[in-house]
Amino acid sequence: MEIKEQKREADLLRFITCGSVDDGKSTLIGRLLYDTKTIFEDQLQNIERTSQMRGEEYVNLALLTDGLRAEREQGITIDVAYRYFATPRRKFIMADTPGHIQYTRNMVTGASTANLAVVLVDARKGVIEQTCRHTFITSLLKIDHIILCVNKMDLVDYSQEVYEKIKIDFQNFISRLDIADVRYVPVSALQGDNIVNKSTKMPWYEGSTLLYMLENVHLGSDLNHVDARFPVQYVLRPQSNEYHDFRGYAGRVEGGVFKPGDEVLVLPSGFTSTVKAIETFDGPVAEAFAPMSVVITLNDEIDISRGDMLVKPNNQPEISQDLEVMVCWMSEKPLVKGKKYIIRHTTKEAKCLVKDIRYKMNINTLHKIEDDLNIGLNDIGRITLRTTLPLFYDDYRKNSGTGSLILVDEFTNETVAAAIIL
């Protein structure tokens, strides 16, 4: 059972496509779907007919995402389009994030759940500001795997020299960031070179295709299986004759491994107990680990409610009311020092005060801006918060589940910022 669960998670890869607006993301997505034969026949006929009517020389695969773009124009709240496809080796959830700088907040939303980022560069333009901006955000959100796709190689005569120069430029930029796994591939999404099938026009390239990289990237070490964290989402009391005395705690494991018999500590009360059983929709399991959603029962009657956290006594998270965070501001109204917001962290909610604005980040140069502390829409900055209740958290790089939070305007209920704890 556990082996099956692990395999199921390992078979799923969540990735984003990002980069500047003109770097060919739509065509790349269309090519992936087309060459993996994961589009319906009527869709294909439709885009073939439309391409012909427009007088285009090729089937315009970018049209496959036009429906998604239209949805965004109609005002979908989360401005990221998701597509699903599968190969015999793996399932994929692909987030098409906007390339415009004014939609940085939406790119952050799409990247927040991704395992991997495909960063596109137009071979004619090389590494530009938006390439740096999106790469920095992926680094900030602890996406450990990046594939740099040097696209439109057909427009530079499949030049190895052009590819190598862009690769060196990107290596120089990324050397200042903390990203463990960076891969490079020269492609032409329009012509299908090195996307799913190996190109015959770039014999100098001896690496893998984009799809092969996506199918074979190893994700097993990305999850935190050391620090046991279980924020309680809901207390289950069925109040039925069959389960008269049942009291279970539902939630998602955010780190570590829980097994029946394990001693656990309840935060913030400090009471300890042992795990009696772990239930899932498919029945009891011998262990639970991130990101499984389970119900845990304990051998002792302890007052536990939503927002509490089960951890191991010898491995506890940080506990504090003062947080140092990096925020991506998502509201039209700028961040105000001294203003109160609602903070939502794991399953806990409290109020908080912005104590200080340390600096704003120049994403293109990675320099700190300390003489302009006006943090507005799409800006990224470092601030300190004081909360009304103590929070149990980890450094984001240690655990993204317990190291991230959002800020909400207490009057309008608008989500104004996504943040990671430093």
Side-chain angles (χ1 to χ4, degrees), residues 323-327 330 342-346 348 352 383 385 387 391 393 396 400-408 415 417-421:
L323 301 176
E324 193 88 23
V325 303
M326 192 74 86
V327 293
M330 306 169 83
I342 295 171
I343 186 170
R344 289 183 180 148
H345 170 254
T346 63
K348 203 173 186 70
C352 70
I383 65 173
L385 300 172
T387 61
L391 300 183
Y393 66 93
Y396 183 85
S400 59
T402 55
S404 56
L405 56 89
I406 61 170
L407 298 180
V408 176
T415 299
I420 65 172
I421 301 173

Short mmCIF file of all heavy atoms in Angstrom, two decimals, residues 323-327 330 342-346 348 352 383 385 387 391 393 396 400-408 415 417-421:
data_model
loop_
_atom_site.label_atom_id
_atom_site.label_comp_id
_atom_site.label_asym_id
_atom_site.label_seq_id
_atom_site.Cartn_x
_atom_site.Cartn_y
_atom_site.Cartn_z
N LEU A 323 7.78 37.39 12.98
CA LEU A 323 8.18 36.66 11.79
C LEU A 323 8.94 37.58 10.84
O LEU A 323 8.58 38.75 10.65
CB LEU A 323 6.96 36.10 11.06
CG LEU A 323 6.07 35.14 11.85
CD1 LEU A 323 4.86 34.76 11.01
CD2 LEU A 323 6.85 33.90 12.26
N GLU A 324 9.96 37.03 10.23
CA GLU A 324 10.72 37.72 9.18
C GLU A 324 10.32 37.04 7.87
O GLU A 324 10.57 35.84 7.70
CB GLU A 324 12.21 37.53 9.45
CG GLU A 324 13.09 38.41 8.66
CD GLU A 324 13.36 39.76 9.34
OE1 GLU A 324 13.23 39.84 10.57
OE2 GLU A 324 13.68 40.71 8.64
N VAL A 325 9.67 37.77 6.98
CA VAL A 325 9.14 37.13 5.76
C VAL A 325 9.52 37.92 4.51
O VAL A 325 9.78 39.12 4.56
CB VAL A 325 7.60 36.99 5.83
CG1 VAL A 325 7.17 36.20 7.05
CG2 VAL A 325 6.91 38.35 5.79
N MET A 326 9.49 37.21 3.39
CA MET A 326 9.63 37.83 2.07
C MET A 326 8.25 37.76 1.41
O MET A 326 7.68 36.68 1.28
CB MET A 326 10.65 37.06 1.23
CG MET A 326 11.08 37.76 -0.03
SD MET A 326 12.19 39.15 0.26
CE MET A 326 13.76 38.31 0.31
N VAL A 327 7.71 38.93 1.04
CA VAL A 327 6.36 38.96 0.49
C VAL A 327 6.38 39.27 -1.00
O VAL A 327 7.24 40.00 -1.49
CB VAL A 327 5.46 40.01 1.18
CG1 VAL A 327 5.20 39.65 2.61
CG2 VAL A 327 6.05 41.40 1.05
N MET A 330 0.32 41.40 -3.83
CA MET A 330 -0.65 41.02 -4.86
C MET A 330 -1.84 41.95 -4.92
O MET A 330 -2.84 41.64 -5.57
CB MET A 330 -1.13 39.59 -4.58
CG MET A 330 0.01 38.60 -4.45
SD MET A 330 -0.48 36.99 -3.82
CE MET A 330 -1.05 36.23 -5.31
N ILE A 342 -4.95 40.14 8.33
CA ILE A 342 -5.19 38.77 8.81
C ILE A 342 -4.10 37.89 8.20
O ILE A 342 -3.79 38.00 7.02
CB ILE A 342 -6.57 38.27 8.37
CG1 ILE A 342 -7.66 39.10 9.03
CG2 ILE A 342 -6.75 36.79 8.71
CD1 ILE A 342 -9.05 38.82 8.51
N ILE A 343 -3.52 37.03 9.05
CA ILE A 343 -2.49 36.12 8.56
C ILE A 343 -3.04 34.71 8.58
O ILE A 343 -3.65 34.28 9.57
CB ILE A 343 -1.21 36.25 9.43
CG1 ILE A 343 -0.07 35.43 8.85
CG2 ILE A 343 -1.45 35.88 10.88
CD1 ILE A 343 1.27 35.72 9.52
N ARG A 344 -2.88 33.97 7.48
CA ARG A 344 -3.30 32.58 7.40
C ARG A 344 -2.08 31.71 7.16
O ARG A 344 -1.41 31.84 6.14
CB ARG A 344 -4.35 32.39 6.30
CG ARG A 344 -5.67 33.02 6.68
CD ARG A 344 -6.75 32.80 5.65
NE ARG A 344 -7.99 33.43 6.09
CZ ARG A 344 -8.90 33.96 5.28
NH1 ARG A 344 -8.72 33.91 3.98
NH2 ARG A 344 -9.98 34.52 5.77
N HIS A 345 -1.82 30.84 8.14
CA HIS A 345 -0.61 30.02 8.09
C HIS A 345 -1.00 28.59 8.43
O HIS A 345 -1.60 28.35 9.48
CB HIS A 345 0.42 30.55 9.09
CG HIS A 345 1.59 29.66 9.29
ND1 HIS A 345 1.76 28.90 10.43
CD2 HIS A 345 2.63 29.36 8.49
CE1 HIS A 345 2.86 28.19 10.33
NE2 HIS A 345 3.41 28.45 9.17
N THR A 346 -0.71 27.63 7.60
CA THR A 346 -1.23 26.26 7.67
C THR A 346 -2.73 26.33 7.91
O THR A 346 -3.43 26.94 7.11
CB THR A 346 -0.49 25.41 8.74
OG1 THR A 346 -0.73 25.97 10.04
CG2 THR A 346 0.99 25.37 8.48
N LYS A 348 -4.01 27.68 10.69
CA LYS A 348 -4.19 28.67 11.76
C LYS A 348 -4.42 30.07 11.18
O LYS A 348 -3.85 30.41 10.14
CB LYS A 348 -2.95 28.69 12.65
CG LYS A 348 -3.19 29.24 14.04
CD LYS A 348 -1.96 29.05 14.90
CE LYS A 348 -2.22 29.46 16.34
NZ LYS A 348 -3.12 28.55 17.03
N CYS A 352 -2.21 40.25 12.39
CA CYS A 352 -0.80 40.63 12.48
C CYS A 352 -0.63 42.10 12.14
O CYS A 352 -1.51 42.74 11.55
CB CYS A 352 0.05 39.77 11.56
SG CYS A 352 -0.19 40.08 9.82
N ILE A 383 9.90 42.01 4.99
CA ILE A 383 9.24 42.75 6.06
C ILE A 383 9.24 41.91 7.34
O ILE A 383 9.54 40.71 7.31
CB ILE A 383 7.77 43.11 5.69
CG1 ILE A 383 6.92 41.83 5.55
CG2 ILE A 383 7.72 43.92 4.42
CD1 ILE A 383 5.44 42.11 5.36
N LEU A 385 6.76 40.93 10.77
CA LEU A 385 5.38 40.90 11.23
C LEU A 385 5.33 40.56 12.71
O LEU A 385 6.16 39.80 13.21
CB LEU A 385 4.57 39.84 10.44
CG LEU A 385 4.47 40.00 8.93
CD1 LEU A 385 3.82 38.76 8.34
CD2 LEU A 385 3.66 41.24 8.57
N THR A 387 2.47 38.92 15.23
CA THR A 387 1.15 38.29 15.20
C THR A 387 0.52 38.32 16.60
O THR A 387 1.21 38.42 17.61
CB THR A 387 1.26 36.83 14.74
OG1 THR A 387 2.08 36.10 15.66
CG2 THR A 387 1.88 36.75 13.36
N LEU A 391 2.80 31.40 16.28
CA LEU A 391 2.68 30.46 15.16
C LEU A 391 3.77 29.40 15.26
O LEU A 391 4.86 29.67 15.77
CB LEU A 391 2.80 31.20 13.82
CG LEU A 391 1.76 32.30 13.54
CD1 LEU A 391 1.99 32.86 12.15
CD2 LEU A 391 0.35 31.76 13.67
N TYR A 393 6.13 27.25 13.03
CA TYR A 393 6.56 27.33 11.65
C TYR A 393 7.98 26.80 11.46
O TYR A 393 8.72 26.58 12.43
CB TYR A 393 6.51 28.80 11.17
CG TYR A 393 7.51 29.68 11.87
CD1 TYR A 393 8.78 29.90 11.34
CD2 TYR A 393 7.19 30.28 13.09
CE1 TYR A 393 9.71 30.70 12.00
CE2 TYR A 393 8.11 31.08 13.76
CZ TYR A 393 9.37 31.29 13.20
OH TYR A 393 10.28 32.06 13.87
N TYR A 396 11.10 28.37 5.27
CA TYR A 396 10.49 27.89 4.03
C TYR A 396 11.37 26.88 3.32
O TYR A 396 10.89 25.92 2.72
CB TYR A 396 10.20 29.08 3.10
CG TYR A 396 9.50 28.69 1.82
CD1 TYR A 396 8.12 28.58 1.78
CD2 TYR A 396 10.23 28.43 0.66
CE1 TYR A 396 7.47 28.22 0.60
CE2 TYR A 396 9.59 28.07 -0.51
CZ TYR A 396 8.21 27.98 -0.53
OH TYR A 396 7.58 27.61 -1.69
N SER A 400 8.19 23.88 2.92
CA SER A 400 7.38 24.91 2.25
C SER A 400 5.96 24.95 2.82
O SER A 400 5.31 25.99 2.80
CB SER A 400 7.34 24.67 0.75
OG SER A 400 6.81 23.38 0.47
N GLY A 401 5.47 23.82 3.35
CA GLY A 401 4.10 23.79 3.88
C GLY A 401 3.95 24.59 5.15
O GLY A 401 2.96 25.30 5.35
N THR A 402 4.93 24.48 6.06
CA THR A 402 4.85 25.22 7.32
C THR A 402 5.66 26.52 7.26
O THR A 402 5.73 27.24 8.25
CB THR A 402 5.39 24.35 8.48
OG1 THR A 402 6.71 23.93 8.14
CG2 THR A 402 4.50 23.15 8.71
N GLY A 403 6.24 26.81 6.10
CA GLY A 403 7.06 28.01 5.97
C GLY A 403 6.46 29.05 5.05
O GLY A 403 7.13 30.00 4.66
N SER A 404 5.18 28.89 4.69
CA SER A 404 4.54 29.86 3.79
C SER A 404 3.25 30.36 4.43
O SER A 404 2.66 29.69 5.30
CB SER A 404 4.24 29.22 2.44
OG SER A 404 3.44 28.06 2.60
N LEU A 405 2.80 31.52 3.99
CA LEU A 405 1.57 32.10 4.55
C LEU A 405 1.01 33.10 3.56
O LEU A 405 1.66 33.47 2.57
CB LEU A 405 1.86 32.77 5.90
CG LEU A 405 2.95 33.85 5.92
CD1 LEU A 405 2.37 35.23 5.63
CD2 LEU A 405 3.64 33.87 7.28
N ILE A 406 -0.21 33.54 3.84
CA ILE A 406 -0.80 34.62 3.04
C ILE A 406 -1.31 35.70 3.99
O ILE A 406 -1.62 35.44 5.15
CB ILE A 406 -1.95 34.14 2.12
CG1 ILE A 406 -3.10 33.55 2.93
CG2 ILE A 406 -1.45 33.17 1.09
CD1 ILE A 406 -4.34 33.29 2.10
N LEU A 407 -1.36 36.92 3.46
CA LEU A 407 -1.93 38.05 4.21
C LEU A 407 -3.24 38.46 3.55
O LEU A 407 -3.33 38.51 2.32
CB LEU A 407 -0.96 39.24 4.22
CG LEU A 407 0.41 39.01 4.89
CD1 LEU A 407 1.24 40.29 4.82
CD2 LEU A 407 0.23 38.58 6.34
N VAL A 408 -4.22 38.73 4.38
CA VAL A 408 -5.56 39.06 3.89
C VAL A 408 -5.99 40.39 4.50
O VAL A 408 -5.78 40.63 5.69
CB VAL A 408 -6.56 37.96 4.29
CG1 VAL A 408 -7.99 38.33 3.87
CG2 VAL A 408 -6.16 36.63 3.67
N THR A 415 -6.98 38.78 -0.66
CA THR A 415 -5.63 38.27 -0.41
C THR A 415 -4.65 39.29 -0.97
O THR A 415 -4.61 39.54 -2.17
CB THR A 415 -5.42 36.91 -1.10
OG1 THR A 415 -6.36 35.98 -0.56
CG2 THR A 415 -4.02 36.39 -0.86
N ALA A 417 -1.15 39.40 -0.15
CA ALA A 417 0.25 38.99 -0.31
C ALA A 417 0.42 37.50 -0.06
O ALA A 417 -0.29 36.90 0.75
CB ALA A 417 1.15 39.77 0.65
N ALA A 418 1.37 36.92 -0.79
CA ALA A 418 1.86 35.58 -0.48
C ALA A 418 3.26 35.77 0.09
O ALA A 418 4.01 36.63 -0.36
CB ALA A 418 1.90 34.72 -1.73
N ALA A 419 3.60 34.99 1.09
CA ALA A 419 4.89 35.22 1.76
C ALA A 419 5.55 33.91 2.15
O ALA A 419 4.88 32.90 2.37
CB ALA A 419 4.68 36.09 3.00
N ILE A 420 6.87 33.96 2.22
CA ILE A 420 7.62 32.82 2.74
C ILE A 420 8.39 33.28 3.97
O ILE A 420 8.84 34.42 4.06
CB ILE A 420 8.58 32.25 1.68
CG1 ILE A 420 9.65 33.26 1.31
CG2 ILE A 420 7.82 31.78 0.45
CD1 ILE A 420 10.74 32.69 0.43
N ILE A 421 8.51 32.37 4.93
CA ILE A 421 9.17 32.71 6.19
C ILE A 421 10.66 32.43 6.06
O ILE A 421 11.08 31.35 5.61
CB ILE A 421 8.56 31.87 7.34
CG1 ILE A 421 7.06 32.16 7.46
CG2 ILE A 421 9.26 32.19 8.66
CD1 ILE A 421 6.33 31.28 8.45
#
